Amino acid sequence: MTLRTLLVTSSILGENGQSNALANHFKTQTEAREDVVVTHRDVVANALPHLAIEELGAWQTPAEERSAEQQALAAHSDELLAELRANDVLVLAVPLYNLGIPSQLKAWFDRVLRAGETFRYTENGPQGLIEGKRAIILAARGGQYAGTELDSQTPHLKTMLGLMGISDVEIVFAEGLSMGDTQRDATLKEAFQAIDQLVETL
Ligand SMILES: Cc1cc2nc3c(=O)[nH]c(=O)nc-3n(C[C@H](O)[C@H](O)[C@H](O)COP(=O)(O)O)c2cc1C
């Protein structure tokens, strides 16, 4: 059986991006696995606009009644939702920018966190509609925050994934990447090893 994996990258630093280096390592390791297919979505190279009321309006308009402009707006989310649903594993390579996720990645979440599609509101609160998926976060940071209150990023990511019903989430941290070459090399080595182990579990 083929395992379909969606790899989402979001570094603005291109080939110098450390989260991209983690993503590339994941990709290379999976190439040795004939049963794993990776689809790569770079949300910086294919940046989405901020979510705005016109796009919400397009979602709320029945497909057959949408204007040409609304069809184009709704297509952003429809395409990303189809891609998410078509994959079994979601891998998010995430840099820490100004203590949060890159705004391009937020724009991606704004398209896949869609009421009535990936979650619904019930009298007991929101209920996720995406079933049976696993997520892996490759978190690259200049400083060290994991396990402290200063890590405002991975709890946010887990909450957003959880809203859709994705609760099986593993995180590989590569921290201290701006704290000198020795620290950077050691943390990347450790993160690559953790990725190797994760790939074995796919
Ligand atoms: C615009 C910008 C903001 C950043 N903000 C932070 C930050 O708040 N905390 C931190 O530890 N590192 C910060 N960094 C460093 C990144 O986390 C670091 O470059 C890491 O490698 C992940 O980003 P990358 O995948 O783009 O390389 C920032 C980097 C950039 C370019």
Side-chain angles (χ1 to χ4, degrees), residues 45-107:
N46 301 290
L48 295 151
H50 289 301
L51 183 60
I53 191 165
E54 292 80 8
E55 198 169 331
L56 286 181
W59 296 351
Q60 285 155 5
T61 305
E64 61 283 3
E65 291 172 22
R66 286 178 192 149
S67 65
E69 189 196 351
Q70 285 180 316
Q71 282 172 27
L73 285 172
H76 293 316
S77 168
D78 289 345
E79 185 191 338
L80 296 175
L81 283 176
E83 189 172 66
L84 179 66
R85 290 192 176 110
N87 282 277
D88 309 298
V89 181
L90 172 64
V91 180
L92 300 174
V94 192
L96 184 73
Y97 290 157
N98 301 320
L99 303 173
I101 63 173
S103 55
Q104 292 90 340
L105 183 60
K106 179 64 167 62

Side-chain angles (χ1 to χ4, degrees), residues 4 23 36 45 55 58 62 64 89 94 100 106-107 116 119 151-152 185 197:
R4 289 160 305 174
V36 180
E55 198 169 331
E64 61 283 3
V89 181
V94 192
K106 179 64 167 62
F119 70 95
D151 183 4
S152 52
D185 293 349
Q197 280 168 13

Side-chain angles (χ1 to χ4, degrees), residues 19-169:
S19 58
N20 281 347
L22 300 179
N24 286 338
H25 187 76
F26 176 86
K27 230 174 166 177
T28 308
Q29 292 308 104
T30 51
E31 273 159 17
R33 292 271 305 264
E34 283 181 7
D35 56 333
V36 180
V37 172
V38 178
T39 300
H40 182 190
R41 176 163 291 272
D42 182 339
V43 296
V44 172
N46 301 290
L48 295 151
H50 289 301
L51 183 60
I53 191 165
E54 292 80 8
E55 198 169 331
L56 286 181
W59 296 351
Q60 285 155 5
T61 305
E64 61 283 3
E65 291 172 22
R66 286 178 192 149
S67 65
E69 189 196 351
Q70 285 180 316
Q71 282 172 27
L73 285 172
H76 293 316
S77 168
D78 289 345
E79 185 191 338
L80 296 175
L81 283 176
E83 189 172 66
L84 179 66
R85 290 192 176 110
N87 282 277
D88 309 298
V89 181
L90 172 64
V91 180
L92 300 174
V94 192
L96 184 73
Y97 290 157
N98 301 320
L99 303 173
I101 63 173
S103 55
Q104 292 90 340
L105 183 60
K106 179 64 167 62
W108 180 85
F109 270 105
D110 284 342
R111 286 359 187 265
V112 298
L113 290 173
R114 194 166 143 192
E117 295 284 346
T118 50
F119 70 95
R120 68 168 164 242
Y121 293 109
T122 74
E123 38 189 48
N124 299 317
Q127 181 193 9
L129 299 174
I130 298 287
E131 282 172 7
K133 295 203 197 297
R134 170 182 180 189
I136 297 169
I137 297 169
L138 309 176
R141 286 102 185 267
Q144 292 178 318
Y145 309 88
T148 76
E149 281 184 7
L150 292 174
D151 183 4
S152 52
Q153 184 196 55
T154 50
H156 182 214
L157 286 165
K158 282 176 116 175
T159 306
M160 290 192 287
L161 292 167
L163 179 61
M164 295 190 280
I166 304 174
S167 54
D168 180 354
V169 183

